[in-house]
Amino acid sequence: MADSVVQTIHRDPALFYWILFPITIVMILTGVLRHYFTVLLQTAPKKLPLAALREQRSLLRGVNLRCNASAISPSSFASRKAYLVSAYKDGTFLKDPENRGKAAPNPMTDPAAMEGMMGMMKGNMAMMVPQTLIMGWINAFFAGFVVLKLPFPLTLRFKSMLQSGVATRDLDVRWVSSLSWYFLNLFGLQSVFIFILGNENAANQMASQMSQMNPGAAGTGMFQPGQDPDKMFLNEAENLEVMEHEYILKGVEQRLLASI
Amino acid sequence: MATIALSSPLSQGNPEALSLSQQTAQYLQKYTPSRLPIPIPLLSSPESTDLWASYEKLLLSCLRTGDDKSAHECLEKLIQRFGATNERVMGLRGLYQEAIADGDTALEKILREYEEVLEGGSANTPIMKRRIALLRNLGKTNGAIDALVELLDASPTDIEAWSELADLYLSQGFFSQAEYCLEEILLVAPNAWNVHARLGELLYMGLGNNESNAPKLLAESIRRFCRSIELCDGYLRGYYGLKLTTDRLSKMIQKDPKVLSNSSSTTDSDEIPMPTEQIVNALHEKATSALAQIARKADSGQHSEVELLAVKSLLDKSAQSATR
C-alpha cells in the first residue's frame, strides 16, 4: 500500500443517506425498543415465604456472630454460640425439616430455580433476536458497500475491524464498510442510550452481559439453587465452634486515654 | 428535587419537617408524572428512585405536621405508581390511616385489617411492623413484645426490630433482655457508637437492681462509653455517660477502697480486669474537660439545645459538689 498515493473512491452520496443513516437509526431504535421490551418482560422479584426468609436470615445471623463477635462480652458470645450451634445441628431453622438429609432437588425440576432461568432466557432472547435480524438485514442489503472514510490515518491492524465484508487487500484502512459500521454502532452507542433512556437502561448489550456473568449478585440471595441449606448450617456451626473470641472492650480505657 | 434533602425523617428536627411539608403542594405540582401511556424520554422528566423516596419522605413529614391532605396526595401518587399491594406502600397506607383515625375503636379496626393481611403467612414486614407499633400505641405492650419476638424469630438480622424490642423491654424493666437485644444490634453493626453508648446507659440504669455486682457492671458500662467515644470523637452522650459512671465508681472507691480488688478477685480468667483507680480518675477528668469544651462551643449548632442544657446542669452539679 503506497502511502504517498491518496486513494480516492468516488462514492455516490446516496450511500450516505441510504446506508449510513438507516443503519445508525435502526440501531438506536432497536436499542430503545429492547429497553422497553426488557422492562415489559421483567417479572417482579418473587416474595419469599416466611420460612425461607427465616432460613436465610438465621444463617446470616450465624455469619454476623462470627464476624462481629468482638463487640459482645465473652459470656454473651458463649451463650449465643451454644444456642446457634445446637439449633444449626438440629436443623431448627430449616425451611422444610422433614426433607432433611435427602439429596438436593434437581435444579431443572425445581420451580424456583426455573423461574430464575426463565428470566435469564428472556434477557438473552431480547438480546439475540434483534441482533440476528439486523445482522441478516445488513448482510442481505448492504453487504460490500464502503460507506465512509475516516478523517485520520490508522494502522493496518484495524483493517479487520473496519472492513469486514469487503475482501479487498489494497484498500486503505480508513475506509469503513457497512457491516463494520454496524459493529461500531453495536458497541459504541452506550452513551447515546444513556442520553435517551437514562442511566439504568437495558438497551446496551454490554451491561446486560456483565450482569449475566454473576447473576448471584443480582438477587437470588444466599442460597443458590441446588445447594443444601442443611449442609450450609452444619458448616456454619463448625465455623462457630472453632472460632476464638476476642473482646474489643479489653483495654479500651487505656486506648482512649492514650489516643487523646 | 434539589430542595428535598434525602436525610432520614427520624433525624430531622421539627422546623425542618414543617418546612418540608410546606413545600409539598409546590413539589407535587412540579413533579407530576406524565400522563402518557408510555413514558417518552427527553419529553418527560425521567423517574428515578430519588423521586419516589422524596414522595415517601414528604408523606412522613406531612403526617408529622398534621397536613393530612397533602399526605393523602403523596400516598395517592405512590399507590398509582407501585400499586396498592406493594408491601411498602401498604405500610405507608397503614401509617396514614392510623394518623387520621380518631379514637381507639378506629385503631382497633385498623389492627384487625393488619391481622387479616398477615393471616396468609406471607412475610409482609412493613405491615408486621405497623401492627407492632399500633399494638404499642394501644397500650398492649405484651402483645407488641410477643409480635416482635415472632418477627425476630423469622428475621433475626433486623436492627430496627431489635432496637424496638430493646426499648419495649426497657419500658417494662427487663434490663437483661434489653441488653441482649442491643447486643444483637451490635452483632449486625459492630461500629454503631450510639448503640454502644445505649448499652452503657442500660447497664448504668440496671445498677439499682443489683447491689452486689455494682462495681463490675459500672466498669462494663464505663468500657461501653469508652468504646462509643473511641468510635466517634466528641460524642456528647458518650462523654456524659462516661462522666456519670466514672463519678459513681470513684465515689464507691472512696467509700471502700477495696471495691476494685474485691470484685476482681472473683472474676474468672477470661474476664477483663477491673480498671485501676488512676484510670477511673483520669477518665473522669477527661470526660469533664470534654463536656466543658462541648458546652463552651454551644453555638456551633452540632448539638440540640436539650442535650446542651443537660450537659450544663451536669457540670454545674459536679462543680457544686466539688466546692462542698
Side-chain angles (χ1 to χ4, degrees):
Chain A
M1 222 184 324
D3 287 312
S4 54
V5 187
V6 179
Q7 278 183 350
T8 47
I9 300 179
H10 292 288
R11 284 164 298 152
D12 191 341
L15 276 179
F16 183 79
Y17 297 116
W18 293 102
I19 299 183
L20 197 75
F21 240 48
I23 291 180
T24 319
I25 287 172
V26 164
M27 288 304 291
I28 292 175
L29 284 181
T30 31
V32 173
L33 276 182
R34 184 189 297 151
H35 170 73
Y36 287 123
F37 194 60
T38 359
V39 169
L40 276 181
L41 280 184
Q42 257 169 9
T43 44
K46 236 175 85 187
K47 272 202 299 193
L48 279 174
L50 206 57
L53 189 78
R54 179 165 179 253
E55 192 179 66
Q56 280 189 12
R57 299 271 167 90
S58 301
L59 185 65
L60 196 63
R61 189 183 182 192
V63 176
N64 275 338
L65 177 64
R66 188 156 48 86
C67 297
N68 302 328
S70 59
I72 60 174
S73 65
S75 55
S76 325
F77 173 69
S79 65
R80 278 182 174 77
K81 183 169 107 176
Y83 165 66
L84 280 182
V85 165
S86 74
Y88 283 171
K89 283 192 173 159
D90 296 344
T92 319
F93 300 129
L94 286 179
K95 185 168 48 181
D96 34 6
E98 62 272 14
N99 264 359
R100 208 175 164 213
K102 284 182 199 159
N106 185 356
M108 288 315 257
T109 55
D110 186 9
M114 277 308 274
E115 198 93 339
M117 251 179 265
M118 276 303 282
M120 239 193 288
M121 284 275 279
K122 280 181 203 160
N124 267 340
M125 286 291 283
M127 204 82 344
M128 291 300 295
V129 171
Q131 250 178 60
T132 328
L133 285 181
I134 297 173
M135 185 92 173
W137 171 65
I138 289 178
N139 257 332
F141 289 98
F142 311 128
F145 284 109
V146 169
V147 289
L148 147 111
K149 187 187 185 192
L150 296 176
F152 44 84
L154 284 169
T155 53
L156 208 57
R157 292 202 167 248
F158 286 92
K159 201 169 170 72
S160 60
M161 188 176 122
L162 293 180
Q163 290 175 3
S164 49
V166 183
T168 326
R169 256 184 58 220
D170 289 338
L171 196 64
D172 191 353
V173 192
R174 291 164 68 180
W175 298 100
V176 179
S177 73
S178 55
L179 199 58
S180 295
W181 180 243
Y182 160 73
F183 281 117
L184 288 181
N185 273 328
L186 190 64
F187 295 111
L189 280 178
Q190 162 82 18
S191 34
V192 177
F193 290 138
I194 287 180
F195 173 66
I196 303 177
L197 298 170
N199 237 334
E200 289 142 18
N201 68 69
N204 193 266
Q205 60 150 14
M206 295 311 263
S208 64
Q209 269 171 11
M210 293 271 247
S211 68
Q212 273 167 28
M213 292 293 170
N214 48 355
T220 49
M222 300 180 55
F223 293 114
Q224 301 296 318
Q227 225 164 4
D228 187 4
D230 188 35
K231 290 228 176 70
M232 293 180 76
F233 276 128
L234 290 180
N235 209 354
E236 190 54 44
E238 207 165 291
N239 284 343
L240 276 176
E241 267 176 339
V242 297
M243 85 165 279
E244 213 167 288
H245 182 251
E246 196 172 310
Y247 195 19
I248 201 153
L249 294 193
K250 201 171 190 172
V252 69
E253 303 101 328
Q254 285 89 341
R255 283 207 303 271
L256 186 67
L257 285 175
S259 68
I260 323 170
Chain B
M1 177 115 52
T3 52
I4 308 291
L6 283 168
S7 66
S8 156
L10 290 176
S11 63
Q12 57 181 327
N14 288 330
E16 201 185 331
L18 188 62
S19 80
L20 257 186
S21 78
Q22 280 161 355
Q23 289 169 24
T24 309
Q26 219 181 348
Y27 186 82
L28 284 175
Q29 235 170 22
K30 202 162 151 200
Y31 293 101
T32 12
S34 61
R35 300 240 158 80
L36 303 165
I38 303 174
I40 295 177
L42 297 179
L43 295 184
S44 55
S45 57
E47 77 167 349
S48 59
T49 333
D50 280 0
L51 179 71
W52 299 110
S54 38
Y55 271 127
E56 193 180 351
K57 210 183 142 209
L58 283 174
L59 171 65
L60 293 180
S61 55
C62 284
L63 285 180
R64 193 168 147 185
T65 46
D67 187 358
D68 291 339
K69 214 172 125 242
S70 309
H72 186 70
E73 273 175 50
C74 289
L75 187 64
E76 284 287 298
K77 289 255 155 77
L78 286 168
I79 289 180
Q80 250 175 38
R81 172 66 183 81
F82 296 101
T85 50
N86 183 291
E87 288 185 358
R88 202 156 156 173
V89 171
M90 277 168 95
L92 289 173
R93 187 162 159 267
L95 191 68
Y96 173 73
Q97 281 178 332
E98 282 172 47
I100 56 167
D102 44 352
D104 278 1
T105 45
L107 288 177
E108 296 271 3
K109 203 173 139 236
I110 296 171
L111 188 65
R112 273 197 298 280
E113 271 172 36
Y114 288 161
E115 269 151 18
E116 267 167 40
V117 171
L118 292 176
E119 240 159 42
S122 65
N124 193 338
T125 324
I127 290 288
M128 277 164 124
K129 286 187 175 169
R130 283 303 337 141
R131 178 168 166 255
I132 291 159
L134 189 53
L135 279 173
R136 193 181 177 177
N137 273 347
L138 289 172
K140 296 175 185 165
T141 316
N142 287 334
I145 289 180
D146 288 344
L148 259 177
V149 169
E150 202 180 304
L151 169 68
L152 282 169
D153 177 59
S155 137
T157 49
D158 190 334
I159 300 186
E160 203 180 29
W162 278 116
S163 58
E164 181 71 14
L165 187 58
D167 209 32
L168 278 171
Y169 274 135
L170 188 61
S171 70
Q172 301 298 302
F174 297 124
F175 286 101
S176 57
Q177 278 88 339
E179 199 187 321
Y180 183 91
C181 297
L182 288 181
E183 280 175 350
E184 274 305 321
I185 301 177
L186 281 182
L187 284 179
V188 180
N191 291 339
W193 61 83
N194 49 351
V195 179
H196 276 289
R198 185 86 186 126
L199 204 47
E201 285 165 19
L202 208 69
L203 289 164
Y204 183 71
M205 283 189 270
L207 277 183
N209 302 345
N210 201 334
E211 275 304 323
S212 58
N213 230 353
K216 222 160 111 188
L217 284 176
L218 258 182
E220 180 73 11
S221 168
I222 289 174
R223 281 193 284 265
R224 285 285 172 202
F225 284 123
C226 284
R227 178 72 184 151
S228 78
I229 298 167
E230 191 180 37
L231 288 167
C232 173
D233 290 338
Y235 184 46
L236 188 144
R237 244 182 135 115
Y239 277 120
Y240 191 98
L242 188 61
K243 184 169 161 57
L244 275 183
T245 43
T246 46
D247 202 32
R248 180 126 173 218
L249 190 58
S250 67
K251 268 179 197 147
M252 267 184 197
I253 295 169
Q254 274 167 15
K255 223 186 276 171
D256 175 16
K258 276 180 279 177
V259 160
L260 292 179
S261 51
N262 272 352
S263 44
S264 63
S265 64
T266 55
T267 55
D268 351 354
S269 55
D270 64 331
E271 296 258 335
I272 304 174
M274 294 289 282
T276 62
E277 198 180 338
Q278 291 98 315
I279 287 184
V280 174
N281 288 336
L283 284 174
H284 184 241
E285 261 169 47
K286 194 174 172 56
T288 314
S289 68
L291 283 178
Q293 206 176 357
I294 289 172
R296 227 180 300 128
K297 284 194 279 181
D299 48 349
S300 67
Q302 269 181 328
H303 307 284
S304 72
E305 272 173 46
V306 188
E307 281 176 324
L308 287 169
L309 275 180
V311 167
K312 275 176 192 150
S313 77
L314 180 71
L315 287 173
D316 288 347
K317 230 196 286 175
S318 74
Q320 273 171 18
S321 64
T323 49
R324 240 184 268 149

